[in-house]
Amino acid sequence: MRRGDTRAGTIGRVEALASGAVERHASGRLTIATAGPGFTDFTAAVAAFVRGSGIRDGLVTVFCRHTSASLTIQENADPDVQTDLMTALDGFAPRNAGYVHGAEGPDDMPAHIRTLVTDSALTIPLVDGTLALGTWQGIYLIEHRDRPHRREIVLSALGA
């Protein structure tokens, strides 16, 4: 695109949503029991934590305390998205691919690789006491191991 071309790429001004001192902090721990590989939507639990914190505007951090499970923000309307994402992760880091690390089984190293390319922590803005997620976005734990696990998530909210 040439300089001065306004057909695409126009960026509007930032709309101020809130401003002020940080006045509150809240932290908590959440345990999620997984059934094996797949996505667990826990958006409602994070939203409830935020409501209970009394924080109206700020940030919430969601942190997964594991190296073989991870977090993502993804579409929450069509479960086919989750199926396709798991298929893509399976292709990216297949089991039984001859990894050196395998002390905990053939799903161990692929789980670490999948966590490497997803997230162990998410930060979500809070606006008027709610998560500033898009219409079709949800917060998910992704279990990368073949058997059920209990995964610990640490939540921290900061704001006013």
Side-chain angles (χ1 to χ4, degrees), residues 18 22 40 42 44-45 53 61 80 85 92 96 105 110 122 131 134 138 151 158:
V22 172
T40 302
F42 67 107
S53 75
T61 299
D80 288 346
L85 289 171
F92 179 74
N96 301 308
L122 304 170
L131 301 167
R151 301 302 192 172
L158 189 66

Side-chain angles (χ1 to χ4, degrees), residues 29-127:
R29 183 176 20 234
L30 171 66
T31 301
I32 299 174
T34 68
F39 287 72
T40 302
D41 184 343
F42 67 107
T43 311
V46 177
F49 166 75
V50 168
R51 280 191 304 277
S53 75
I55 295 173
R56 304 282 304 151
D57 296 289
L59 299 170
V60 64
T61 299
V62 183
F63 178 74
C64 180
R65 298 188 65 204
H66 304 276
T67 60
S68 58
S70 58
L71 304 172
T72 191
I73 294 175
Q74 269 302 328
E75 178 176 328
N76 62 4
D78 184 353
D80 288 346
V81 171
Q82 297 164 27
T83 300
D84 289 342
L85 289 171
M86 286 304 292
T87 299
L89 288 171
D90 287 342
F92 179 74
R95 286 156 178 71
N96 301 308
Y99 303 109
V100 174
H101 174 73
E104 295 179 49
D107 66 337
D108 190 29
M109 193 60 215
H112 294 306
I113 295 169
R114 294 165 191 206
T115 298
L116 174 75
V117 299
T118 52
D119 293 305
S120 59
L122 304 170
T123 301
I124 302 142
L126 305 175
V127 178

Side-chain angles (χ1 to χ4, degrees), residues 17-31:
L17 296 176
S19 179
V22 172
E23 300 171 355
R24 296 182 67 90
H25 173 263
S27 61
R29 183 176 20 234
L30 171 66
T31 301

Side-chain angles (χ1 to χ4, degrees), residues 34-39 86 95 114 142-148:
T34 68
F39 287 72
M86 286 304 292
R95 286 156 178 71
R114 294 165 191 206
I142 312 170
E143 178 60 66
H144 299 297
R145 299 300 301 271
D146 287 340
R147 61 181 179 79

